[in-house]
Amino acid sequence: MKIIMLGAPGAGKGTQAKKIAEKYGLPHVSTGDIFRANIKNGTPLGIEAKKYMDEGKLVPDELTVKILLDRVAQDDCKNGYILDGFPRTIPQAEVLDKALTELNDKIDYAIDVEVPDENIINRMGGRRACLACGATYHVVFNAPKKEGICDACGKELVLRDDDAPETVKKRLDVYHEQTQPLIDFYNKKGILKEVDGTKEMNDVFNAIVSILDK
Ligand code: ADP
Ligand code: ADP
Ligand code: ZN
């Protein structure tokens, strides 16, 4: 099964992708996590990506597409995967489509987690991220057991540089302009599924499970 998570920054794509990954035994592939791991390790890719991420802009397509295609070509992706944060532009979606078609393959579901912009701004201030394992928490809605420490791996949690309110506003603009058109793109392919992302995390998850288990 191959799944794409769509939705605004902060809609809960990562939160849901991790839960789906666990339930269905599929790898969770997040381009944002890959970039952040590279920034943390000071790689040339990380240094390049950071310039764009800190400004709330998208990393250029050529760079992002290459990273993603390399990742899904790895062995653990053979039986499927969940893409979180990719594609984010129509050209990215087209490259993915073409690569899959060449393998006689396709995406099964594009799940759009819908959350209005007003809710996003509130959510992002409370987000805490683990740069070691990619887990995310929320100080109110999904607090870690021990404040500031990742439940999953024990490392320290951080407030992401790009989660500052001004950068979040910029990212939402970029989302509406460049990423939202993907909803129509996948709707036309007949694989779009929409869920209400304003509900509690477990309710959102149950809605997704009922789509995938149909
Ligand atoms: P969020 O989960 O809050 O939407 P991500 O972790 O997915 O954030 O992405 C963080 C940043 O990484 C984006 O703002 C962008 O700069 C960069 N990024 C991640 N995925 C992509 C992509 N597919 N194309 C271009 N840039 C990306
Ligand atoms: P995305 O990957 O789409 O950027 P995240 O999964 O990181 O979004 O979620 C953004 C923030 O909102 C995190 O702090 C997360 O804990 C919180 N969150 C996710 N889903 C919900 C929900 N259904 N209700 C309230 N808060 C949520
Ligand atoms: Zn962790």
Side-chain angles (χ1 to χ4, degrees), residues 8-15 123 127 136-138 141 197 199-201:
K13 302 178 299 296
T15 301
R123 269 189 198 183
R127 170 154 75 178
T136 59
Y137 299 85
H138 190 282
F141 305 124
K199 299 258 166 57
E200 276 184 26
M201 287 172 206

Side-chain angles (χ1 to χ4, degrees), residues 31-32 34-36 38-39 43-60 63-64 67:
T31 38
I34 295 172
F35 290 140
R36 279 184 292 277
N38 277 276
I39 291 172
T43 70
L45 168 67
I47 291 166
E48 182 66 15
K50 187 169 165 49
K51 292 193 258 179
Y52 300 92
M53 292 168 74
D54 281 352
E55 288 190 27
K57 292 181 184 158
L58 295 183
V59 177
L63 198 59
T64 309
I67 301 299

